[in-house]
Amino acid sequence: MAKPPRPSASPSHLLYLLSLLSLLIIHLSTTCVLADSHFEGFEADDEDEALDSADSLQFSNLRSPPVSQSESPPATTKLTPSEPDTATADPTQSGTPDHPPTSPDLSKPSSTGFDYWDEDEFEGLPFLEQHQQQPSEPSKAAEDAVGPQDPSPDPKSTPAASPAKRSYMVEIVCGSFLIMFAINYFTGKRENENIALAWAAKFATKESIFEKNFSLLGVGEGEDSPLLLKEGQNVFKFYASGRRYCQGLLATMELKSRHDLISRIYNLIVPCKDEISFEVYMNDDAMDNVIFAVAKKKAAKGMQKELRDLQRFAGLLPPPGGRKWVAEELSVISESKEVAGDMITEAVLDQVFGEKAFEKFGKGFISMHFSDQHPGGHSKMLLFKFTLPDVNNMADMTRLVSLVPYYIDLVGRYKISPQARSKTEAARAKAAQEAHKELQNARQEALQKRKLERKKMMEEAEAKLGAEALRKKEAKERARQMKKSMPRMKMTRGH
Amino acid sequence: MSHNNANDPRQPSAARPFKAPVVSPQDLPVDYSGFIAVVFGVAGVMFRYKLCSWLAIIFSVQSLANMRNMENDLKQISMGMMFAIMGLVTTYFGPPRPASRK
């Protein structure tokens, strides 16, 4: 653990890969355009029909037509020897080689009036042969799609050949993206591990801050337990226990998703930082009525709106006159001025929160929140949030980390004055009453819901019963009422 | 802010071993990439767009990379992956789509 971590792979190789990929895409797109350049003079209809004809070809069972004989049924008109062949040939077939045949079935010639025709006039044959070779050579087609191509348009090439080239674009892009994702996954994972290990090496090994303050370090039981628990590829946890005033401390490192290429690209647009948060679970008898928070101005406003305990009990405090206070960038939220004054000591101002100290050592500070009314499993907690520096600059956050044991002792020893206590206890009693009322209301609502459900069930059951059953029920009820209305007579036996 | 040896804050008797908190599936953060993978996968299978199937593969791989809780996350990821693979299989090995007629 104490060994210096390996230097992480720089993101330059990632940019290099991205640039290579983009060059490949550009090259492919230009070759596709060049391949299609000889279609420019065509109308849209011709092109669509040609594509349709290419789709309709079944390559698996395609056989080459005889060169000298038509496959159409024998024609009724016979050709006399005196008439030349070329005179009766279809003009659409004997056009320029650039024009694709427009008939939907390419295995048959368009001029089907004759049993025999000249070999030179059948323009579709090379096109068919070309397609017959394609299924047997898929690797060649793939090479054509990737490899460099001659930009000069081939007069024999036909419109059906270009979609085959175009169709590999999606596969190339997605495949290369997946390969890059896999490479980035391993490099990013290693980077995150290096950051977490660097932090642990600095603050959780022998002769470090946490080793001097806690008797149990690590997430397992025993001496050889691992220091860090890896919860995800970018979430690492460190646990410490065995200290006065507190039950334990849980540090959670939430790093950038370096292992995830999509998140990495997103973080280029919306930057974020590596964060570490400390949760200190205080002993119930060690923490007095304290609700206090320090954060950067924007974050402080957000905290006061979002966090229930700060919202109910605390408010933003203006800087007091006549004494040193926190840097201008910071805001203090507290239940009372007394608590705020006692929590922000001279030592803390000199070390971190003072104007000069904050410029040097407070760069990584995000927020600090102490509360005895914390919502959740544990009510008495101290929360610290800092940003993590680079692997090589872990020492920069030494002063921030040393705030944690300092405040554990300060809050553990702290006792508020009787006046402040009466105020805080009144506020807590009021809050408890409100909570109790809310609970009662919730219970009543639940009861009403149950009653309504029962009523509905009864009504449904009645609706299911038939008309006869209803009559019987009514008759029974009448009989019952009659019995009730009848005068009661005592039968006495006379002797 | 440091502590000297005379006033050692450590209390070995108070040490409690770490217990990982049990996280219910409701409290887990929403797996957006897994959801997107399923959506694209279904679209790829139904409409037979190979791009949708490829995107489903990419997003399910992303979801797999970001997975934290094996038991809770694996259902959605496996579903997305299955749809994506089905889409690719039907696109490449299935019968060709009928050409659009005018």
Side-chain angles (χ1 to χ4, degrees):
Chain A
M1 193 62 70
K3 284 191 292 182
R6 288 188 299 175
S8 60
S10 64
S12 60
H13 73 282
L14 185 73
L15 290 168
Y16 176 67
L17 279 167
L18 278 167
S19 59
L20 268 175
L21 177 68
S22 59
L23 279 168
L24 180 69
I25 291 162
I26 291 160
H27 176 70
L28 282 167
S29 59
T30 51
T31 52
C32 284
V33 168
L34 287 166
D36 294 345
S37 61
H38 61 282
F39 294 127
E40 279 176 4
F42 279 80
E43 290 175 14
D45 291 348
D46 290 351
E47 202 172 318
D48 288 346
E49 280 176 19
L51 287 168
D52 280 356
S53 66
D55 284 346
S56 64
L57 279 171
Q58 297 293 325
F59 298 133
S60 55
N61 57 3
L62 190 72
R63 55 190 181 82
S64 56
V67 176
S68 59
Q69 191 176 352
S70 169
E71 285 180 5
S72 59
T76 51
T77 55
K78 293 281 179 184
L79 188 69
T80 55
S82 60
E83 287 173 36
D85 287 352
T86 52
T88 54
D90 192 355
T92 56
Q93 288 291 329
S94 60
T96 56
D98 282 2
H99 284 274
T102 54
S103 63
D105 191 1
L106 286 166
S107 61
K108 296 173 186 178
S110 58
S111 57
T112 56
F114 310 101
D115 286 336
Y116 300 98
W117 73 86
D118 193 2
E119 186 177 322
D120 297 332
E121 284 172 22
F122 185 67
E123 297 291 334
L125 188 61
F127 169 68
L128 289 171
E129 283 171 359
Q130 183 186 346
H131 268 296
Q132 274 178 312
Q133 288 167 6
Q134 269 190 0
S136 61
E137 296 172 7
S139 59
K140 191 179 176 185
E143 281 172 18
D144 289 350
V146 180
Q149 293 174 345
D150 188 13
S152 60
D154 182 20
K156 290 280 179 189
S157 67
T158 50
S162 59
K165 284 174 189 169
R166 250 185 251 142
S167 68
Y168 290 104
M169 200 63 166
V170 174
E171 287 84 343
I172 290 163
V173 171
C174 294
S176 53
F177 186 85
L178 282 170
I179 291 160
M180 281 164 65
F181 193 101
I183 294 162
N184 179 74
Y185 176 79
F186 292 107
T187 54
K189 182 181 163 184
R190 198 186 303 136
E191 273 181 69
N192 277 349
E193 281 171 2
N194 287 344
I195 290 167
L197 288 170
W199 183 88
K202 179 70 186 163
F203 299 109
T205 49
K206 280 194 175 181
E207 297 301 309
S208 64
I209 293 170
F210 288 114
E211 203 270 333
K212 286 175 184 173
N213 277 279
F214 293 89
S215 59
L216 172 72
L217 300 177
V219 290
E221 288 183 48
E223 287 182 14
D224 296 330
S225 67
L227 278 176
L228 296 172
L229 170 73
K230 189 177 181 181
E231 205 174 73
Q233 299 302 339
N234 63 323
V235 179
F236 298 85
K237 290 196 171 182
F238 164 75
Y239 179 76
S241 185
R243 192 193 194 281
R244 65 182 174 207
Y245 306 129
C246 71
Q247 292 171 19
L249 170 145
L250 183 68
T252 307
M253 282 176 261
E254 288 200 17
L255 310 177
K256 289 180 195 173
S257 295
R258 289 179 176 86
H259 65 287
D260 178 5
L261 186 59
I262 296 167
S263 295
R264 206 166 209 180
I265 293 160
Y266 177 74
N267 287 341
L268 291 172
I269 304 154
V270 183
C272 71
K273 289 181 178 179
D274 298 321
E275 287 182 11
I276 185 164
S277 58
F278 296 90
E279 293 176 15
V280 182
Y281 308 108
M282 297 295 284
N283 293 332
D284 289 333
D285 58 338
M287 191 173 180
D288 213 335
N289 297 349
V290 173
I291 289 173
F292 169 78
V294 179
K296 289 189 176 176
K297 283 191 174 174
K298 275 187 183 178
K301 282 179 184 175
M303 279 171 78
Q304 217 215 332
K305 282 178 185 174
E306 287 166 24
L307 300 172
R308 204 172 68 192
D309 55 336
L310 294 179
Q311 197 179 336
R312 268 189 186 171
F313 303 105
L316 281 160
L317 290 185
R323 69 159 287 184
K324 276 174 84 179
W325 200 240
V326 295
E328 278 184 19
E329 295 168 54
L330 300 173
S331 284
V332 178
I333 305 165
S334 181
E335 197 170 6
S336 66
K337 282 183 182 179
E338 183 193 306
V339 170
D342 293 338
M343 289 293 128
I344 295 164
T345 59
E346 286 286 329
V348 164
L349 289 169
D350 290 340
Q351 292 289 315
V352 183
F353 294 136
E355 204 69 62
K356 286 179 183 176
F358 194 76
E359 278 177 28
K360 274 189 181 180
F361 308 107
K363 290 171 195 169
F365 179 80
I366 298 170
S367 70
M368 186 169 84
H369 175 207
F370 312 153
S371 178
D372 68 312
Q373 296 289 308
H374 200 276
H378 212 283
S379 60
K380 297 192 175 186
M381 276 174 76
L382 312 184
L383 298 167
F384 300 85
K385 242 186 191 178
F386 312 129
T387 57
L388 279 165
D390 299 333
V391 177
N392 306 319
N393 303 322
M394 274 298 163
D396 291 358
M397 71 176 302
T398 307
R399 290 200 185 189
L400 291 173
V401 172
S402 56
L403 283 173
V404 177
Y406 177 79
Y407 271 114
I408 292 170
D409 282 337
L410 183 63
V411 172
R413 289 197 194 103
Y414 182 64
K415 293 283 178 277
I416 58 171
S417 66
Q419 292 171 338
R421 184 183 293 280
S422 61
K423 276 185 183 179
T424 57
E425 278 177 358
R428 276 154 182 71
K430 197 180 177 184
Q433 268 187 335
E434 282 174 14
H436 186 67
K437 274 183 184 177
E438 279 175 16
L439 257 172
Q440 277 189 329
N441 288 339
R443 278 179 187 171
Q444 279 183 344
E445 278 177 16
L447 277 168
Q448 280 180 342
K449 274 184 183 177
R450 278 180 196 167
K451 279 182 182 177
L452 281 167
E453 279 172 10
R454 277 180 193 169
K455 264 190 179 180
K456 276 183 183 177
M457 289 278 283
M458 290 283 283
E459 282 171 9
E460 281 172 10
E462 279 177 13
K464 279 177 186 175
L465 288 169
E468 285 177 23
L470 277 168
R471 274 183 216 142
K472 281 179 185 177
K473 240 189 179 182
E474 281 171 10
K476 275 183 183 178
E477 276 178 17
R478 269 188 216 137
R480 213 179 280 158
Q481 281 175 358
M482 287 283 282
K483 274 183 185 177
K484 279 181 185 176
S485 61
M486 285 267 285
R488 286 193 180 183
M489 288 188 289
K490 277 192 178 180
M491 295 286 286
T492 53
R493 193 178 286 177
H495 294 286
Chain B
M1 278 187 217
S2 59
H3 304 273
N4 56 4
N5 291 334
N7 190 18
D8 191 4
R10 289 177 288 191
Q11 287 181 350
S13 58
R16 296 182 184 187
F18 175 70
K19 284 179 185 175
V22 180
V23 184
S24 62
Q26 288 90 349
D27 298 335
L28 283 169
V30 182
D31 181 19
Y32 290 107
S33 50
F35 174 69
I36 293 165
V38 171
V39 169
F40 275 125
V42 171
V45 170
M46 283 175 72
F47 307 120
R48 291 175 70 183
Y49 289 140
K50 62 182 172 187
L51 182 64
C52 283
S53 298
W54 276 108
L55 286 172
I57 289 270
I58 287 165
F59 280 110
S60 55
V61 165
Q62 187 198 10
S63 186
L64 199 67
N66 291 325
M67 183 171 62
R68 285 196 200 180
N69 290 55
M70 192 79 169
E71 301 84 20
N72 299 324
D73 294 352
L74 207 61
K75 284 179 189 176
Q76 194 170 12
I77 294 165
S78 58
M79 201 164 85
M81 194 69 96
M82 273 164 59
F83 273 118
I85 291 161
M86 271 164 61
L88 287 177
V89 167
T90 52
T91 307
Y92 290 107
F93 300 109
R97 269 201 298 181
S100 55
R101 293 273 171 200
K102 282 197 178 182

